[in-house]
Coordinates of all heavy atoms in Angstrom, one line a residue:
M160 N 53.6 -53.9 6.7 CA 52.9 -53.3 7.7 C 52.8 -54.3 8.9 O 52.3 -55.4 8.7 CB 51.5 -52.9 7.2 CG 51.4 -51.9 6.1 SD 49.8 -51.5 5.5 CE 49.2 -50.5 6.9
V161 N 53.1 -53.8 10.0 CA 53.1 -54.7 11.2 C 51.7 -55.1 11.5 O 50.8 -54.3 11.5 CB 53.7 -53.9 12.4 CG1 53.6 -54.7 13.7 CG2 55.1 -53.5 12.1
G162 N 51.5 -56.4 11.7 CA 50.2 -56.9 12.0 C 49.2 -57.1 10.9 O 48.1 -57.5 11.0
L163 N 49.7 -56.7 9.7 CA 48.8 -56.9 8.5 C 49.6 -57.6 7.4 O 49.9 -57.1 6.3 CB 48.4 -55.5 8.0 CG 47.6 -54.7 8.9 CD1 47.4 -53.3 8.4 CD2 46.2 -55.3 9.2
P164 N 49.9 -58.9 7.6 CA 50.7 -59.7 6.7 C 50.1 -59.8 5.3 O 50.8 -59.8 4.3 CB 50.8 -61.1 7.3 CG 49.8 -61.1 8.4 CD 49.5 -59.7 8.8
A165 N 48.8 -59.7 5.2 CA 48.1 -59.8 3.9 C 48.5 -58.6 3.0 O 48.4 -58.7 1.8 CB 46.6 -60.0 4.0
L166 N 48.8 -57.5 3.6 CA 49.1 -56.3 2.9 C 50.6 -55.9 2.9 O 51.0 -55.0 2.2 CB 48.3 -55.1 3.4 CG 46.8 -55.2 3.4 CD1 46.2 -54.0 4.0 CD2 46.3 -55.4 1.9
A167 N 51.4 -56.7 3.6 CA 52.8 -56.4 3.8 C 53.5 -56.3 2.4 O 54.3 -55.4 2.3 CB 53.5 -57.4 4.6
D168 N 53.2 -57.1 1.5 CA 54.0 -57.1 0.2 C 53.6 -56.0 -0.7 O 54.3 -55.6 -1.6 CB 53.8 -58.5 -0.5 CG 54.4 -59.6 0.2 OD1 55.3 -59.4 1.0 OD2 54.0 -60.8 0.0
I169 N 52.4 -55.4 -0.5 CA 51.9 -54.4 -1.4 C 51.8 -53.0 -0.7 O 51.5 -52.0 -1.4 CB 50.6 -54.7 -2.0 CG1 49.5 -55.0 -0.9 CG2 50.7 -55.9 -2.9 CD1 48.4 -54.0 -0.9
A170 N 52.1 -52.9 0.5 CA 51.9 -51.7 1.3 C 52.5 -50.5 0.7 O 51.9 -49.4 0.7 CB 52.3 -51.9 2.8
F171 N 53.7 -50.6 0.2 CA 54.4 -49.4 -0.3 C 54.4 -49.3 -1.8 O 54.9 -48.3 -2.4 CB 55.9 -49.5 0.2 CG 56.0 -49.4 1.7 CD1 56.3 -50.5 2.4 CD2 55.7 -48.2 2.4 CE1 56.3 -50.5 3.8 CE2 55.8 -48.2 3.8 CZ 56.1 -49.3 4.5
S172 N 53.7 -50.2 -2.5 CA 53.6 -50.1 -3.9 C 52.2 -49.8 -4.5 O 52.1 -49.5 -5.6 CB 54.2 -51.4 -4.5 OG 53.4 -52.5 -4.2
I173 N 51.2 -50.0 -3.7 CA 49.9 -49.8 -4.2 C 49.6 -48.3 -4.4 O 50.0 -47.5 -3.5 CB 48.8 -50.5 -3.3 CG1 47.5 -50.6 -4.0 CG2 48.7 -49.7 -1.9 CD1 46.5 -51.6 -3.4
E174 N 48.9 -48.0 -5.4 CA 48.5 -46.6 -5.7 C 47.4 -46.2 -4.8 O 46.7 -47.0 -4.3 CB 48.1 -46.5 -7.2 CG 49.1 -46.9 -8.2 CD 50.2 -45.8 -8.3 OE1 50.0 -44.6 -8.1 OE2 51.4 -46.3 -8.5
E175 N 47.2 -44.9 -4.7 CA 46.2 -44.4 -3.8 C 44.8 -44.8 -4.1 O 43.9 -45.1 -3.3 CB 46.2 -42.8 -3.8 CG 45.4 -42.2 -2.7 CD 45.5 -40.7 -2.6 OE1 46.4 -40.1 -3.3 OE2 44.8 -40.1 -1.9
D176 N 44.6 -45.1 -5.4 CA 43.3 -45.5 -5.9 C 43.3 -47.0 -6.2 O 42.3 -47.6 -6.7 CB 42.8 -44.8 -7.2 CG 42.4 -43.4 -6.8 OD1 41.7 -43.2 -5.8 OD2 42.8 -42.4 -7.6
G177 N 44.4 -47.7 -5.9 CA 44.5 -49.1 -6.1 C 43.5 -49.9 -5.3 O 43.2 -49.5 -4.1
D178 N 42.9 -51.0 -5.8 CA 41.9 -51.8 -5.2 C 42.6 -52.7 -4.1 O 43.3 -53.6 -4.5 CB 41.1 -52.6 -6.2 CG 39.9 -53.3 -5.6 OD1 40.0 -53.8 -4.5 OD2 38.9 -53.3 -6.3
L179 N 42.3 -52.4 -2.9 CA 42.9 -53.2 -1.8 C 42.4 -54.6 -1.8 O 43.1 -55.6 -1.4 CB 42.7 -52.5 -0.4 CG 43.4 -51.2 -0.2 CD1 42.9 -50.5 1.1 CD2 44.9 -51.3 -0.3
W180 N 41.1 -54.8 -2.1 CA 40.6 -56.1 -2.2 C 41.2 -57.0 -3.3 O 41.6 -58.1 -3.0 CB 39.1 -56.1 -2.4 CG 38.3 -55.3 -1.3 CD1 37.8 -54.1 -1.4 CD2 38.1 -55.8 0.0 NE1 37.2 -53.7 -0.2 CE2 37.4 -54.8 0.7 CE3 38.4 -56.9 0.7 CZ2 37.0 -54.8 2.0 CZ3 38.0 -57.0 2.1 CH2 37.3 -56.0 2.7
A181 N 41.4 -56.4 -4.4 CA 42.1 -57.1 -5.5 C 43.5 -57.3 -5.2 O 44.1 -58.3 -5.7 CB 41.9 -56.3 -6.8
A182 N 44.1 -56.5 -4.4 CA 45.5 -56.7 -4.0 C 45.8 -57.7 -3.0 O 46.9 -58.1 -2.7 CB 46.1 -55.3 -3.6
G183 N 44.7 -58.3 -2.4 CA 44.8 -59.4 -1.5 C 44.2 -59.2 -0.1 O 44.3 -60.0 0.8
M184 N 43.6 -58.0 0.1 CA 43.0 -57.8 1.4 C 41.7 -58.7 1.5 O 41.0 -58.9 0.6 CB 42.6 -56.4 1.6 CG 42.0 -56.1 3.0 SD 41.9 -54.3 3.4 CE 40.6 -53.8 2.3
D185 N 41.5 -59.3 2.7 CA 40.3 -60.0 3.0 C 39.6 -59.4 4.2 O 40.0 -58.4 4.7 CB 40.6 -61.5 3.2 CG 41.6 -61.7 4.4 OD1 41.7 -60.9 5.3 OD2 42.2 -62.8 4.4
S186 N 38.5 -60.0 4.6 CA 37.7 -59.4 5.7 C 38.4 -59.3 7.0 O 38.3 -58.3 7.7 CB 36.3 -60.1 5.9 OG 36.6 -61.5 6.2
L187 N 39.2 -60.3 7.3 CA 40.0 -60.3 8.5 C 41.0 -59.2 8.5 O 41.2 -58.4 9.5 CB 40.7 -61.6 8.8 CG 41.6 -61.7 10.0 CD1 40.9 -61.4 11.3 CD2 42.3 -63.1 10.1
T188 N 41.7 -59.0 7.3 CA 42.7 -58.0 7.2 C 42.0 -56.6 7.3 O 42.6 -55.7 7.9 CB 43.4 -58.1 5.9 OG1 44.0 -59.4 5.8 CG2 44.5 -57.1 5.7
S189 N 40.8 -56.4 6.7 CA 40.1 -55.1 6.8 C 39.8 -54.8 8.3 O 39.9 -53.6 8.6 CB 38.8 -55.1 6.0 OG 37.8 -56.0 6.5
V190 N 39.4 -55.8 9.1 CA 39.2 -55.5 10.5 C 40.5 -55.1 11.2 O 40.5 -54.2 12.0 CB 38.5 -56.7 11.2 CG1 38.5 -56.5 12.7 CG2 37.1 -57.0 10.6
Q191 N 41.6 -55.8 10.9 CA 42.9 -55.5 11.5 C 43.3 -54.1 11.1 O 43.8 -53.3 11.9 CB 43.9 -56.5 11.0 CG 43.7 -57.9 11.6 CD 44.6 -58.9 11.0 OE1 45.0 -58.8 9.9 NE2 44.9 -59.9 11.8
L192 N 43.1 -53.7 9.8 CA 43.4 -52.4 9.3 C 42.6 -51.3 10.0 O 43.1 -50.3 10.4 CB 43.2 -52.3 7.8 CG 43.5 -51.0 7.1 CD1 45.0 -50.6 7.3 CD2 43.3 -51.2 5.6
L193 N 41.3 -51.6 10.2 CA 40.4 -50.7 10.9 C 41.0 -50.4 12.3 O 41.1 -49.2 12.7 CB 39.0 -51.3 11.0 CG 38.0 -50.5 11.9 CD1 37.7 -49.2 11.4 CD2 36.8 -51.4 12.1
L194 N 41.3 -51.4 13.0 CA 41.9 -51.2 14.4 C 43.1 -50.4 14.4 O 43.3 -49.6 15.2 CB 42.1 -52.6 15.0 CG 40.8 -53.4 15.3 CD1 41.2 -54.8 15.8 CD2 39.8 -52.7 16.2
V195 N 44.0 -50.7 13.5 CA 45.3 -50.0 13.4 C 45.0 -48.5 13.1 O 45.6 -47.6 13.7 CB 46.2 -50.6 12.3 CG1 47.4 -49.6 12.0 CG2 46.7 -51.9 12.7
L196 N 44.1 -48.2 12.1 CA 43.8 -46.8 11.7 C 43.1 -46.1 12.9 O 43.4 -44.9 13.1 CB 43.0 -46.8 10.5 CG 43.7 -47.3 9.2 CD1 42.8 -47.4 8.0 CD2 44.9 -46.4 8.9
E197 N 42.2 -46.7 13.5 CA 41.4 -46.1 14.6 C 42.4 -45.7 15.7 O 42.3 -44.6 16.3 CB 40.3 -46.9 15.1 CG 39.1 -47.0 14.2 CD 37.9 -47.8 14.7 OE1 38.1 -48.7 15.6 OE2 36.8 -47.5 14.3
E198 N 43.3 -46.6 16.0 CA 44.3 -46.3 17.1 C 45.3 -45.2 16.7 O 45.5 -44.3 17.4 CB 45.1 -47.6 17.4 CG 46.1 -47.3 18.6 CD 46.8 -48.6 19.0 OE1 46.2 -49.7 18.9 OE2 47.9 -48.5 19.4
K199 N 45.8 -45.3 15.5 CA 46.7 -44.3 14.9 C 46.2 -42.9 14.9 O 46.8 -41.9 15.3 CB 47.2 -44.7 13.5 CG 47.9 -43.7 12.8 CD 49.4 -43.8 12.8 CE 50.1 -42.8 11.9 NZ 51.1 -42.1 12.6
F200 N 44.9 -42.8 14.5 CA 44.3 -41.5 14.3 C 43.3 -41.1 15.4 O 42.7 -40.0 15.3 CB 43.6 -41.4 12.9 CG 44.6 -41.5 11.8 CD1 44.7 -42.6 11.0 CD2 45.4 -40.4 11.4 CE1 45.6 -42.7 10.0 CE2 46.3 -40.5 10.4 CZ 46.4 -41.6 9.7
Q201 N 43.2 -41.9 16.4 CA 42.4 -41.7 17.6 C 40.9 -41.3 17.2 O 40.4 -40.3 17.6 CB 43.0 -40.5 18.4 CG 44.3 -40.9 19.0 CD 44.2 -42.1 20.0 OE1 43.5 -42.0 21.0 NE2 44.8 -43.2 19.7
V202 N 40.4 -42.1 16.3 CA 39.0 -41.9 15.9 C 38.3 -43.3 16.0 O 38.9 -44.3 16.1 CB 38.8 -41.4 14.4 CG1 39.4 -40.1 14.3 CG2 39.4 -42.4 13.4
E203 N 37.0 -43.2 16.0 CA 36.2 -44.5 16.0 C 35.2 -44.3 14.8 O 34.3 -43.4 14.8 CB 35.4 -44.7 17.3 CG 34.7 -46.0 17.2 CD 34.1 -46.4 18.6 OE1 34.6 -45.9 19.6 OE2 33.1 -47.2 18.6
L204 N 35.3 -45.1 13.8 CA 34.5 -45.0 12.7 C 33.1 -45.5 13.0 O 33.0 -46.6 13.7 CB 35.0 -45.8 11.5 CG 36.3 -45.2 10.9 CD1 36.8 -46.0 9.7 CD2 36.2 -43.8 10.6
P205 N 32.0 -44.8 12.6 CA 30.7 -45.3 12.9 C 30.4 -46.6 12.1 O 31.0 -46.8 11.0 CB 29.8 -44.2 12.5 CG 30.6 -43.4 11.5 CD 32.0 -43.6 11.9
D206 N 29.4 -47.4 12.6 CA 29.1 -48.6 11.9 C 28.7 -48.4 10.4 O 29.1 -49.2 9.6 CB 27.9 -49.3 12.6 CG 28.3 -49.9 13.9 OD1 29.5 -50.0 14.2 OD2 27.4 -50.2 14.7
E207 N 28.1 -47.3 10.1 CA 27.6 -47.1 8.7 C 28.8 -46.8 7.8 O 28.7 -46.9 6.6 CB 26.6 -46.0 8.6 CG 27.0 -44.6 9.1 CD 26.7 -44.4 10.6 OE1 26.3 -45.4 11.3 OE2 26.8 -43.3 11.0
A208 N 30.0 -46.5 8.3 CA 31.2 -46.3 7.5 C 31.9 -47.6 7.3 O 32.8 -47.7 6.4 CB 32.1 -45.3 8.2
L209 N 31.6 -48.7 7.9 CA 32.3 -50.0 7.8 C 31.7 -50.8 6.7 O 31.0 -51.8 6.9 CB 32.2 -50.7 9.1 CG 32.7 -49.9 10.4 CD1 32.6 -50.8 11.6 CD2 34.1 -49.4 10.2
T210 N 32.0 -50.3 5.5 CA 31.5 -51.0 4.3 C 32.6 -51.5 3.4 O 33.8 -51.1 3.5 CB 30.6 -50.0 3.4 OG1 31.5 -49.0 2.9 CG2 29.5 -49.4 4.3
F211 N 32.3 -52.4 2.5 CA 33.2 -52.9 1.5 C 33.9 -51.7 0.8 O 35.1 -51.7 0.5 CB 32.5 -53.9 0.6 CG 33.4 -54.5 -0.4 CD1 34.1 -55.7 -0.1 CD2 33.5 -54.1 -1.7 CE1 34.9 -56.3 -1.0 CE2 34.2 -54.7 -2.7 CZ 34.9 -55.8 -2.3
E212 N 33.0 -50.8 0.4 CA 33.5 -49.6 -0.4 C 34.5 -48.7 0.3 O 35.4 -48.2 -0.2 CB 32.3 -48.8 -1.0 CG 32.7 -47.9 -2.1 CD 33.4 -48.5 -3.3 OE1 33.0 -49.6 -3.7 OE2 34.3 -47.9 -3.8
T213 N 34.2 -48.6 1.6 CA 35.1 -47.7 2.4 C 36.6 -48.3 2.4 O 37.5 -47.5 2.3 CB 34.7 -47.7 3.9 OG1 33.4 -47.0 4.0 CG2 35.7 -47.0 4.8
F214 N 36.7 -49.6 2.4 CA 38.0 -50.2 2.4 C 38.5 -50.5 1.0 O 39.5 -51.2 0.8 CB 38.0 -51.5 3.2 CG 37.8 -51.2 4.7 CD1 36.6 -51.0 5.2 CD2 38.9 -51.1 5.5 CE1 36.4 -50.7 6.6 CE2 38.8 -50.8 6.8 CZ 37.5 -50.6 7.4
R215 N 37.9 -50.0 -0.1 CA 38.3 -50.2 -1.4 C 39.7 -49.8 -1.8 O 40.4 -50.4 -2.4 CB 37.3 -49.5 -2.4 CG 37.7 -49.5 -3.8 CD 37.4 -50.7 -4.6 NE 36.0 -51.1 -4.5 CZ 35.6 -52.3 -4.7 NH1 36.5 -53.3 -5.1 NH2 34.4 -52.7 -4.6
S216 N 40.1 -48.6 -1.3 CA 41.4 -48.0 -1.6 C 41.9 -47.1 -0.5 O 41.1 -46.8 0.4 CB 41.3 -47.2 -2.9 OG 40.5 -46.0 -2.7
I217 N 43.1 -46.7 -0.6 CA 43.7 -45.8 0.3 C 42.9 -44.5 0.3 O 42.6 -43.8 1.3 CB 45.2 -45.5 0.0 CG1 45.9 -46.9 0.3 CG2 45.7 -44.4 0.9 CD1 47.4 -46.9 -0.3
R218 N 42.5 -44.0 -0.9 CA 41.8 -42.8 -1.1 C 40.4 -42.8 -0.4 O 40.1 -41.9 0.3 CB 41.6 -42.4 -2.5 CG 40.9 -41.1 -2.7 CD 40.7 -40.7 -4.2 NE 41.8 -40.8 -5.0 CZ 42.7 -39.8 -5.2 NH1 42.6 -38.7 -4.5 NH2 43.7 -39.9 -6.0
T219 N 39.7 -43.9 -0.5 CA 38.4 -44.0 0.1 C 38.5 -44.1 1.7 O 37.8 -43.5 2.4 CB 37.5 -45.2 -0.4 OG1 38.2 -46.4 -0.2 CG2 37.2 -45.0 -1.8
L220 N 39.5 -44.8 2.1 CA 39.8 -44.9 3.6 C 40.1 -43.5 4.1 O 39.7 -43.1 5.2 CB 40.9 -45.9 3.9 CG 40.5 -47.3 4.0 CD1 41.7 -48.2 4.0 CD2 39.7 -47.5 5.3
S221 N 41.0 -42.8 3.4 CA 41.4 -41.5 3.8 C 40.2 -40.5 3.9 O 40.1 -39.8 4.9 CB 42.5 -40.9 2.9 OG 43.6 -41.6 2.9
A222 N 39.4 -40.5 2.9 CA 38.2 -39.7 2.9 C 37.3 -40.0 4.2 O 36.8 -39.0 4.8 CB 37.4 -39.8 1.6
V223 N 37.1 -41.2 4.4 CA 36.2 -41.6 5.6 C 36.9 -41.2 6.9 O 36.2 -40.7 7.8 CB 35.8 -43.1 5.5 CG1 35.2 -43.6 6.8 CG2 35.0 -43.4 4.3
L224 N 38.1 -41.5 7.0 CA 38.8 -41.1 8.2 C 38.8 -39.5 8.4 O 38.5 -39.1 9.5 CB 40.3 -41.5 8.2 CG 40.5 -43.0 8.4 CD1 41.9 -43.4 7.9 CD2 40.3 -43.4 9.8
E225 N 39.0 -38.8 7.4 CA 39.0 -37.3 7.5 C 37.6 -36.8 7.8 O 37.4 -35.9 8.7 CB 39.5 -36.7 6.2 CG 40.9 -36.8 6.0 CD 41.4 -36.2 4.7 OE1 40.6 -35.6 4.0 OE2 42.6 -36.5 4.4
S226 N 36.6 -37.4 7.3 CA 35.2 -37.0 7.5 C 34.7 -37.4 8.9 O 33.7 -36.9 9.4 CB 34.2 -37.6 6.5 OG 34.1 -39.0 6.7
N227 N 35.5 -38.2 9.6 CA 35.2 -38.6 11.0 C 36.2 -38.0 12.0 O 36.4 -38.5 13.1 CB 35.1 -40.1 11.1 CG 33.8 -40.6 10.5 OD1 32.8 -40.6 11.2 ND2 33.9 -41.0 9.3
G228 N 36.9 -37.0 11.6 CA 37.8 -36.2 12.5 C 39.2 -36.6 12.5 O 40.0 -36.0 13.3
A229 N 39.7 -37.5 11.7 CA 41.1 -37.8 11.7 C 41.9 -36.8 10.9 O 41.4 -36.2 9.9 CB 41.3 -39.2 11.0
S230 N 43.1 -36.5 11.3 CA 43.9 -35.6 10.6 C 45.3 -36.2 10.4 O 45.7 -37.1 11.2 CB 44.0 -34.2 11.3 OG 44.6 -34.4 12.6
A231 N 46.0 -35.8 9.4 CA 47.4 -36.3 9.2 C 48.3 -36.0 10.4 O 48.2 -34.9 11.0 CB 48.0 -35.7 8.0
R232 N 49.0 -37.0 10.9 CA 49.9 -36.8 12.1 C 51.3 -37.0 11.7 O 51.7 -37.8 11.0 CB 49.5 -37.7 13.2 CG 48.1 -37.3 13.7 CD 47.7 -38.3 14.7 NE 46.2 -38.1 14.9 CZ 45.7 -37.8 16.0 NH1 46.3 -37.6 17.1 NH2 44.4 -37.7 16.1

């Protein structure tokens, strides 16, 4: 993944429910991921959505994005 070197090695192999934190994501990477996702899906996640649990997995991120107006593009 461009701009997310901490996730580059696992980006295409992690399961939808795989733990991103256990796979090597750190707080800096989560902020970078947030910026990429907000730009890609043209949404701004509210502060209350910016939790450790939101960034736990692809599934939890997808749910939060969808609940804030993002759709698959």
Side-chain angles (χ1 to χ4, degrees):
M160 298 180 76
V161 175
L163 299 171
L166 298 179
D168 293 337
I169 56 113
F171 297 104
S172 62
I173 195 161
E174 299 291 326
E175 190 172 354
D176 288 319
D178 189 319
L179 295 172
W180 300 107
M184 185 166 68
D185 58 21
S186 59
L187 177 59
T188 305
S189 70
V190 172
Q191 292 170 331
L192 180 57
L193 170 67
L194 295 174
V195 168
L196 293 172
E197 286 184 334
E198 183 176 328
K199 165 98 174 132
F200 294 105
Q201 296 296 296
V202 297
E203 184 174 335
L204 296 182
D206 290 345
E207 58 269 12
L209 306 181
T210 66
F211 184 83
E212 193 56 39
T213 294
F214 290 85
R215 167 83 54 204
S216 68
I217 295 168
R218 185 181 306 276
T219 57
L220 273 168
S221 295
V223 170
L224 286 165
E225 287 176 11
S226 71
N227 285 279
S230 60
R232 293 175 196 241

